[in-house]
Amino acid sequence: MDALALSKLGAALILPWLAGALCLQRWYPPHNPGRLPLILGYGFFVGMMLGMGLLRLGYAFDLPPFAFASSGLVLLCLAAGFHPLPDPPPARGAEQAARLTPSAKPKGLQAGKLLSILLLLLILLHLLPMLLEVLVRPIYPWDGWTTWVYRAKIWFLNGELTPFVAASQLAEQTDRLVYTIEAWDYPLFVSLVHLWPALALDRWSETLVNLPTWLAGSTIALGLYGQSRSAGLEPLPALLPPALFLTIPLAGAHMLLGGYADLWMSGFVGLGFSALLLGKNRRELLMGLVFLAAAVLVKKEGIAWLTLGLFFLIATQWPRSFAGLMLVVTTVLALTHSTSVELPYVGAIGYRLGQLLLGPLGSYPLHFENVFPAYLHAFFLHGSWNLFWLILAVAAATALTRLRDAEVRDTLLLFVSSGLLLFLIFFLSPESRWASDFTAINRLPLQIAPALLTGCALIWNSLTKEAR
Amino acid sequence: MKGPWLRLVLSMALAGLLVAGWLYLRHIAPIAQSDMPPIHISPTQFQTLYGETRLEENGLVVRGCGQRQCLITVYPGALDTSTIRYLRYRLDADRPTEERARFFWRRDLETRIDTAEIDSSPIGILDLGRQDNWRGQVSELGFLFPRGTSQHWTLNDVSLQGPAPMLGTLALLGNWSGLELWSQRSVNQLFGSRGTDLPSLQQVVLLWIILSLTLLLLFSWANLEQPSTGALLTLLLAGWLLLDLRWLATLWRHAEITWNTFGNRQEEEKYRAAIEAEQFDLYQRVRQRLQAEQPAEILLPQEIPPEMAYFYAKAPYFLAPHRVLPLGKQYRRGYLIVLNGIPADYDPQHKSLRLGRFLLEGVEPVERHPAGTLYYITPQ
């Protein structure tokens, strides 16, 4: 690859990131110790979503898509650079930083620094072979070349966002060029992400189209570090959540064998819930909600995470209203001897005749499938997760001793509610087949894993802050 | 050392002893020491059925497998499998590879062979006692080497040995240090071992950490203290780090394999180094042939044997931007690709092709290739 192509590719990878980071430069309070990694971590996903949105617009209006999207991003950089948002009011992180004045800094700093360097080295030792795989190995995993990357390749070769339809509709489309794949109705975002480097290079590449996915994994780690720092953790313990995330073998597999959407979901869902978990001001809560809403544009299950996010937000921000609402709903259901309610404009919500009714989202048959043995293997006995779930279990058990701390309560709520969501999907719905055949049993939890690590960091913070 | 940390060290040590004891009692001790001397098979005893072999100082070099698997074999007489538990070997590949060689054996009066995958890890051992069909009398055994012309394999120090606790320990270590190759399942789950039914390092470390944790809690409560959070974290991170070292080694070993397989190659050449090399070549030929018609429509059969599913599934991606459609009632004219390996009967006299339940007429082959054939079905 010549220098020009390399620089175009580099610019295409950095431009959305820079635009996203500049948009967020004043999003976090100036004294927040995790400000820069937060800006870089969250900024990457904001920038990619904006960039792919512009790309989509370019195609929709028949404009040169790459030129349109990159010009839009440059304009965004300029606008955000010259007219940044006003500074938000100082938040918790600032107080924490203030407490860590030089005289108050803990003893053993040298040892801490050394350990931090070792942890950074460990992270680097994981990232390097993953990057080499991305740069050298052509698109490898099944859903990559059958679905996500395949669409991108078709679009690149045809020079337009050629539609994909269900196989049953193919015969009806006689007057236009259409394609079919099994997952024809998946959202476009991840395919656009794979298209982006190819447009920059002006040629299709079987390897380089995966670079944004590797970057996504790396920037999730930045976001996690930023969140841990802004939660009040010192640099060394704040490095643990990103280090643990990057060393989860399954996360690594998704970074180096790119082509799936789940790592992007980890970014939007995981960092989204992290923001909600830590969000003690409106900006962070808004960021969390925006990320969860964006997840809907990445993969269909984003709607389930968004619904959980809304539930979580209400339950944590307005706990009394939430408890009152739950009481009212329970009372109404008890009085009407019913397990479902009919809401105007929404439809039926609840449970009726073996069906889970979710209003406009449709109804789903519920039937218990015992996939516990599969979970035991997937989470504990196989090598996908290292000791992630054991750590989570220990953290949850430890959290029970700290229930007076609101952050710990919120974390436990996230653990329990996300666990219940997974239980609903994999134990009670027809989707259980994806658990028993091990295709999705690990990938769905991977999407929330960053937030669970943030939760662990909060529990750790709660346990140690008195000692500090 | 302060109390909580002393308790941590004690817990970890005691738990380590308990786990080691369990491994010994469960997996090593039941293996009775056999007094049977090892049956050594020298490189000169092997006959080469397919491929090229050459005797060198460091063993038998196998290469030039080409389109078929190389096969070397030995007829040791009637071996009683009940006395033999382990295969020991030293197998070196000239460069790291994703391919695996296989050990095979044929039982008396049977035409089929049974095989077991072996790798070129430093601990060359295969636990034959855990193979399903290692039973009865074996009259032939040998090694199969994967297709491809560029790889060289060097085989030496082959022996068949009876049960021995030391070999059981080696088999366990071999399971922990063996490389788990990337597969289509790797983004869904990673096994963390070579996939034998011996306990994996993941399971052993998990057990060790849970036991340590339990002991730490017991010791702390016995001293009427809460367990130290620092000690708890240290314990969990120690387990994590131990497993991560294995994962890190996996990453770097794979990086080396990937570089050797795909590095310094043009993009098309990368696929010619992959398992779908032949099919890729056919699809490329078809793409070039239909260049002027793109995007053309290309039909693929729908009734495909499972072992060919992967190669057919890759067709749309490799043929892009041509449209790949399912052969059926609606689509039964135009170009059709039939890969070798699925039952297809072409009658040149009547220009008909029988493909599963379909009898297609007006069919002519337009591109023949070692991987399959491109036909054209004339509209009737």
Side-chain angles (χ1 to χ4, degrees):
Chain A
M1 192 164 52
D2 59 30
L4 181 65
L6 197 66
S7 52
K8 278 162 75 179
L9 177 68
L13 292 174
I14 289 171
L15 190 57
W17 194 356
L18 185 66
L22 284 172
C23 286
L24 296 186
Q25 62 175 318
R26 295 280 182 89
W27 192 265
Y28 299 99
H31 300 298
N32 184 336
R35 187 167 177 252
L36 184 63
L38 280 171
I39 289 171
L40 291 174
Y42 281 73
F44 177 78
F45 288 93
V46 169
M48 288 307 286
M49 194 45 88
L50 288 173
M52 297 314 109
L54 287 168
L55 193 62
R56 181 88 180 81
L57 275 181
Y59 277 112
F61 291 106
D62 234 359
L63 299 163
F66 184 71
F68 175 74
S70 39
S71 315
L73 287 170
V74 169
L75 284 176
L76 204 61
C77 287
L78 292 172
F82 286 113
H83 297 284
L85 294 166
D87 278 336
R92 252 177 330 117
E95 295 160 21
Q96 180 65 24
R99 275 203 286 139
L100 283 174
T101 52
S103 58
K105 278 189 178 172
K107 290 175 185 173
L109 203 61
Q110 291 307 316
K113 265 188 182 171
L114 182 69
L115 282 173
S116 300
I117 291 169
L118 287 176
L119 260 183
L120 284 172
L121 192 66
L122 186 73
I123 289 174
L124 199 66
L125 281 173
H126 284 77
L127 288 178
L128 283 177
M130 292 179 198
L131 180 61
L132 184 131
E133 292 267 6
V134 169
L135 293 174
V136 174
R137 179 185 287 276
I139 298 292
Y140 183 78
W142 188 278
D143 280 11
W145 45 262
T146 58
T147 306
W148 302 104
V149 189
Y150 174 56
R151 284 195 309 197
K153 190 174 183 182
I154 291 287
W155 294 340
F156 178 79
L157 294 174
N158 286 340
E160 59 175 22
L161 296 189
T162 324
F164 282 75
V165 299
S168 58
Q169 296 168 13
L170 201 59
E172 300 159 17
Q173 316 279 337
T174 50
D175 56 339
R176 60 177 189 155
L177 182 63
V178 292
Y179 292 79
T180 185
I181 49 176
E182 204 175 320
W184 60 276
D185 56 345
Y186 277 13
L188 306 185
F189 174 78
V190 174
S191 296
L192 289 170
V193 163
H194 285 96
L195 177 63
W196 183 250
L199 291 174
L201 290 166
D202 205 18
R203 70 173 174 86
W204 181 255
S205 168
E206 297 290 344
T207 51
L208 301 175
V209 295
N210 262 337
L211 268 175
T213 308
W214 180 83
L215 272 178
S218 309
T219 47
I220 290 171
L222 277 173
L224 277 176
Y225 178 73
Q227 289 292 22
S228 304
R229 288 290 285 137
S230 70
L233 266 73
E234 285 150 26
L236 174 62
L239 271 174
L240 284 176
L244 292 183
F245 179 74
L246 288 175
T247 56
I248 292 172
L250 191 75
H254 278 258
M255 282 177 77
L256 65 93
L257 303 174
Y260 272 53
D262 300 280
L263 201 63
W264 291 96
M265 287 296 279
S266 293
F268 287 106
V269 174
L271 292 184
F273 270 110
S274 294
L276 287 186
L277 205 49
L278 283 148
K280 292 290 180 269
N281 63 50
R282 286 186 182 167
R283 281 193 178 190
E284 279 192 78
L285 295 176
L286 180 63
M287 175 69 83
L289 273 186
V290 167
F291 264 57
L292 291 177
V296 180
L297 302 175
V298 178
K299 224 177 164 194
K300 281 179 175 177
E301 53 258 39
I303 193 79
W305 292 121
L306 177 62
T307 310
L308 182 71
L310 290 170
F311 157 85
F312 180 78
L313 184 71
I314 297 168
T316 52
Q317 297 301 312
W318 302 282
R320 287 184 183 170
S321 311
F322 181 74
L325 181 70
M326 287 293 112
L327 191 67
V328 170
V329 169
T330 314
T331 311
V332 168
L333 293 179
L335 288 176
T336 55
H337 298 288
S338 169
T339 51
S340 64
V341 284
E342 199 77 30
L343 298 175
Y345 306 110
V346 175
I349 289 193
Y351 174 81
R352 191 192 300 151
L353 299 173
Q355 301 268 324
L356 179 69
L357 311 170
L358 293 177
L361 300 178
S363 61
Y364 301 89
L366 292 186
H367 171 70
F368 180 74
E369 281 291 332
N370 184 11
V371 289
F372 275 113
Y375 263 99
L376 178 69
H377 281 87
F379 281 10
F380 295 100
L381 302 180
H382 287 166
S384 302
W385 290 97
N386 199 315
L387 298 178
F388 180 86
W389 299 103
L390 179 67
I391 288 180
L392 207 69
V394 172
T398 314
L400 291 174
T401 64
R402 308 283 305 178
L403 284 176
R404 64 181 181 280
D405 191 330
E407 282 181 348
V408 172
R409 284 200 305 273
D410 292 355
T411 299
L412 272 180
L413 180 66
L414 178 69
F415 286 4
V416 172
S417 58
S418 54
L420 283 174
L421 181 69
L422 292 177
F423 183 81
L424 178 70
I425 293 173
F426 284 138
F427 284 79
L428 296 178
S429 83
E431 306 300 320
S432 60
R433 68 185 186 280
W434 305 120
S436 48
D437 71 2
F438 284 90
T439 49
I441 194 167
N442 289 314
R443 285 195 282 127
L444 204 59
L446 181 67
Q447 298 174 5
I448 188 89
L452 301 179
L453 284 169
T454 302
C456 291
L458 283 177
I459 293 170
W460 173 256
N461 194 39
S462 170
L463 288 168
T464 56
K465 67 185 168 191
E466 278 167 15
R468 294 203 301 268
Chain B
M1 198 181 283
K2 286 181 184 174
W5 296 100
L6 185 64
R7 285 196 287 272
L8 173 69
V9 172
L10 273 177
S11 309
M12 290 169 81
L14 197 54
L17 282 175
L18 285 172
V19 172
W22 170 75
L23 279 174
Y24 178 77
L25 291 173
R26 177 84 175 78
H27 294 282
I28 311 295
I31 304 171
Q33 176 71 48
S34 159
D35 52 3
M36 186 195 90
I39 302 169
H40 293 283
I41 304 172
S42 87
T44 52
Q45 287 177 267
F46 285 103
Q47 294 176 30
T48 307
L49 295 191
Y50 305 118
E52 295 170 23
T53 53
R54 193 178 65 241
L55 261 178
E56 287 187 1
E57 200 176 314
N58 51 353
L60 184 69
V61 177
V62 183
R63 63 175 182 176
C65 299
Q67 297 299 315
R68 301 181 72 166
Q69 296 183 91
C70 286
L71 194 154
I72 58 171
T73 184
V74 68
Y75 300 94
L79 279 180
D80 180 5
T81 54
S82 66
T83 60
I84 296 164
R85 172 77 190 257
Y86 297 102
L87 167 76
R88 298 288 329 261
Y89 60 90
R90 208 184 75 218
L91 180 67
D92 299 309
D94 64 332
R95 54 189 163 79
T97 174
E98 287 188 327
E99 306 282 1
R100 288 262 164 95
R102 298 186 82 84
F103 173 71
F104 78 87
W105 64 96
R106 190 192 305 276
R107 284 180 289 164
D108 257 354
L109 307 173
E110 285 192 3
T111 51
R112 74 182 187 107
I113 58 169
D114 292 294
T115 69
E117 201 173 81
I118 56 171
D119 64 16
S120 43
S121 74
I123 305 169
I125 188 162
L126 175 68
D127 190 344
L128 293 166
R130 290 179 181 275
Q131 307 301 319
D132 284 344
N133 289 318
W134 182 256
R135 56 175 191 265
Q137 302 276 321
V138 164
S139 57
E140 182 188 358
L141 48 87
F143 294 87
L144 285 160
F145 298 89
R147 295 187 298 176
T149 49
S150 58
Q151 190 84 45
H152 293 201
W153 304 84
T154 307
L155 180 70
N156 208 348
D157 298 339
V158 179
S159 64
L160 296 165
Q161 302 191 21
M166 179 53 79
L167 294 176
T169 311
L170 274 183
L172 198 58
L173 293 176
N175 191 42
W176 296 353
S177 62
L179 180 65
E180 180 183 0
L181 293 175
W182 299 148
S183 73
Q184 291 299 325
R185 285 187 300 195
S186 297
V187 286
N188 295 330
Q189 61 166 340
L190 292 150
F191 290 99
S193 73
R194 277 166 57 184
T196 68
D197 56 356
L198 286 167
S200 66
L201 191 62
Q202 167 81 26
Q203 291 159 8
V204 171
V205 171
L206 182 76
L207 182 65
W208 174 53
I209 295 297
I210 290 175
L211 275 177
S212 303
L213 203 59
T214 312
L215 289 171
L216 183 64
L217 291 177
L218 288 176
F219 289 156
S220 301
W221 289 334
N223 283 283
L224 302 176
E225 283 180 26
Q226 287 291 319
S228 143
T229 46
L232 271 178
L233 186 71
T234 306
L235 173 63
L236 292 169
L237 292 182
W240 188 289
L241 193 64
L242 197 59
L243 289 173
D244 188 53
L245 288 177
R246 186 187 191 282
W247 171 240
L248 197 56
T250 302
L251 285 176
W252 281 98
R253 285 162 78 182
H254 264 295
E256 193 184 4
I257 289 173
T258 301
W259 179 256
N260 276 297
T261 312
F262 301 112
N264 284 329
R265 286 175 185 263
Q266 295 298 316
E267 298 223 322
E268 283 193 6
E269 291 308 309
K270 288 181 192 290
Y271 284 116
R272 292 202 166 90
I275 57 162
E276 63 266 38
E278 279 185 10
Q279 292 76 16
F280 172 76
D281 197 58
L282 167 66
Y283 295 143
Q284 286 301 99
R285 291 256 196 105
V286 173
R287 269 192 88 205
Q288 282 159 14
R289 175 179 276 273
L290 305 181
Q291 197 77 27
E293 298 179 39
Q294 65 177 291
E297 290 182 357
I298 301 165
L299 306 179
L300 287 184
Q302 291 302 288
E303 292 160 16
I304 297 159
E307 66 272 16
M308 296 301 293
Y310 174 81
F311 303 108
Y312 272 103
K314 278 237 152 167
Y317 187 79
F318 286 145
L319 292 167
H322 298 304
R323 295 200 313 154
V324 174
L325 302 167
L327 174 72
K329 282 183 183 167
Q330 281 175 328
Y331 304 104
R332 51 190 308 161
R333 64 187 180 201
Y335 293 103
L336 166 74
I337 293 179
V338 181
L339 295 181
N340 292 343
I342 75 162
D345 188 12
Y346 180 66
D347 179 353
Q349 202 175 356
H350 297 98
K351 293 186 177 176
S352 66
L353 177 69
R354 177 161 291 284
L355 202 57
R357 60 195 163 91
F358 289 103
L359 178 64
L360 303 164
E361 312 240 320
V363 181
E364 278 192 86
V366 289
E367 176 90 46
R368 288 191 190 275
H369 185 275
T373 307
L374 174 71
Y375 294 97
Y376 187 76
I377 314 168
T378 312
Q380 299 291 304

